[in-house]
Amino acid sequence: SNVKLAYQWYEEDPELLEMEKFAVKQAFNGFELGKLDDGRLYWIGTIEPGIYETKFHQKRVYTIMAVYQNNHPNQEMGSSIHVYPVDPDIDEIKRECGFRPYHLLTDSAGENYLCTNEAGNVKTGRTVTTAATVIAWAVRWFMSYELVLTGELTKEQFCTHGVI
């Protein structure tokens, strides 16, 4: 028998959702909250690391989507919020840098998302990994990616756990 989740975390804990909204609006004001067909909430917005632009005078913008998993705020490897590159997507990113970045995980549907926390950084209880924290990590990920594109970071460094 397939057990359906009676409640989403945000229905059980509306206060946590308000905290999430506040944190994201403070840090990433351009991000918007939405809901997937299956009831999961997500934030979508753009980030601009600016490293590539500084060197090559060409602006690069990344659209990312941070999706709350049903187990939020319980922790798992890679956090209970998955960040998916939307535009450019993972395939485009791989094509552009010429390799598959190490910090990628695969969800149950086979989609790649960014590994946005170190295993050792897993927090439990009320000090939960918020979407704001995860988006901030994604910014770091894309900064490192741009450093690879500008030649300031090697592919090996980018793919070494704990470097970015």
Side-chain angles (χ1 to χ4, degrees), residues 49-113:
I51 288 166
Y52 191 88
E53 188 181 2
T54 302
K55 187 159 182 176
F56 296 121
H57 310 292
Q58 202 182 340
K59 196 183 196 62
R60 295 182 69 92
V61 179
Y62 306 90
T63 303
I64 60 169
M65 190 169 169
V67 183
Y68 293 95
Q69 300 309 293
N70 290 327
N71 68 345
H72 186 78
N74 298 321
Q75 292 301 309
E76 60 185 61
M77 176 62 190
S79 104
S80 61
I81 303 168
H82 293 177
V83 176
Y84 298 88
V86 177
D87 182 29
D89 64 12
I90 287 289
D91 290 336
E92 215 171 315
I93 288 169
K94 285 193 272 199
R95 217 172 21 249
E96 204 161 26
C97 68
F99 63 94
R100 183 189 189 278
Y102 173 75
H103 298 271
L104 290 176
L105 298 171
T106 308
D107 68 15
S108 54
E111 296 289 325
N112 285 135
Y113 62 97

Side-chain angles (χ1 to χ4, degrees), residues 8 10-11 33-43 65:
Q8 281 278 359
Y10 53 85
E11 293 168 330
L33 188 63
K35 190 189 286 188
L36 296 172
D37 291 343
D38 63 11
R40 286 179 299 161
L41 294 181
Y42 66 87
W43 291 97
M65 190 169 169

Side-chain angles (χ1 to χ4, degrees), residues 24-25 28-35 42-46 64 66:
V24 173
K25 287 293 170 209
F28 300 100
N29 198 18
F31 274 67
E32 292 191 6
L33 188 63
K35 190 189 286 188
Y42 66 87
W43 291 97
I44 191 161
T46 58
I64 60 169

